Amino acid sequence: MKIILLQDEKKLGKKGDIVEVSEGYARNYILPKKIGAEASAKNMNDLKLKKANDAKVAQEQLDAAKALAADLEDRIVTIRIKAGEGGKVFGSVSAKEIAAAVKEQCGIEIDKKKLQLADNLRNFGSYEVGIKLHPQVTGKLTVKVTE
């Protein structure tokens, strides 16, 4: 009997896969627990439409991430921090502060976890910070640390 999996099942396959199982296994385990549905013509068509819709949504998200990366590449975010005698910086600039500055200065909300900092910024100057916007898109943002 052919079954369309509705969720990931360790021994059978991933969600959306079409698998061949015995009739008793399908009737007694898979169908009652809603792990899968019978591969009828209607269910096959629904699966095809759902996969097409998921692909369209994924492409729209990728395009939006690319547009945001292009927009952020031109921007410079300025962050002011205190310094002591001789230009020694008190503390450092963290990802949380950079995300707050981007929201305030550019009006774009970015999750601090998506910022790719090797270490907190401890000196004055201009830095390139990577932003993971999408699994396939990494943008760059220029952060200027001033006194």
Side-chain angles (χ1 to χ4, degrees):
M1 175 179 233
K2 289 193 181 225
I3 298 290
I4 299 171
L5 294 178
L6 301 176
Q7 61 189 31
D8 292 349
E9 184 65 22
K10 197 172 196 177
K11 295 178 183 176
L12 292 175
K14 302 247 182 229
K15 179 180 179 179
D17 288 351
I18 300 170
V19 294
E20 181 77 34
V21 296
S22 69
E23 200 167 315
Y25 184 56
R27 187 176 48 238
N28 295 323
Y29 180 73
I30 294 175
L31 297 177
K33 292 194 177 210
K34 308 260 190 257
I35 295 170
E38 189 176 348
S40 64
K42 178 192 177 300
N43 289 342
M44 295 289 283
N45 191 33
D46 289 347
L47 176 67
K48 187 171 96 176
L49 292 174
K50 185 174 180 340
K51 282 187 177 183
N53 186 37
D54 289 347
K56 180 182 173 190
V57 168
Q59 184 62 40
E60 288 173 356
Q61 289 175 344
L62 178 64
D63 293 342
K66 285 181 181 178
L68 182 59
D71 184 33
L72 286 174
E73 200 153 318
D74 303 334
R75 305 223 182 185
I76 297 174
V77 176
T78 305
I79 299 176
R80 302 178 69 89
I81 57 174
K82 291 184 179 181
E85 288 183 26
K88 183 145 174 76
V89 175
F90 293 132
S92 63
V93 179
S94 66
K96 181 179 178 181
E97 293 169 324
I98 294 171
V102 168
K103 183 176 181 183
E104 180 185 309
Q105 294 175 19
C106 302
I108 300 170
E109 193 159 338
I110 295 176
D111 186 13
K112 67 180 181 180
K113 295 173 189 162
K114 295 186 181 210
L115 293 172
Q116 297 176 326
L117 285 175
D119 197 15
N120 290 341
L121 309 179
R122 299 183 191 276
N123 297 314
F124 296 121
S126 187
Y127 298 93
E128 288 274 323
V129 177
I131 304 172
K132 189 78 170 169
L133 299 170
H134 188 271
Q136 299 170 357
V137 178
T138 302
K140 292 205 184 301
L141 175 68
T142 305
V143 177
K144 188 175 180 183
V145 180
T146 61
E147 187 172 355

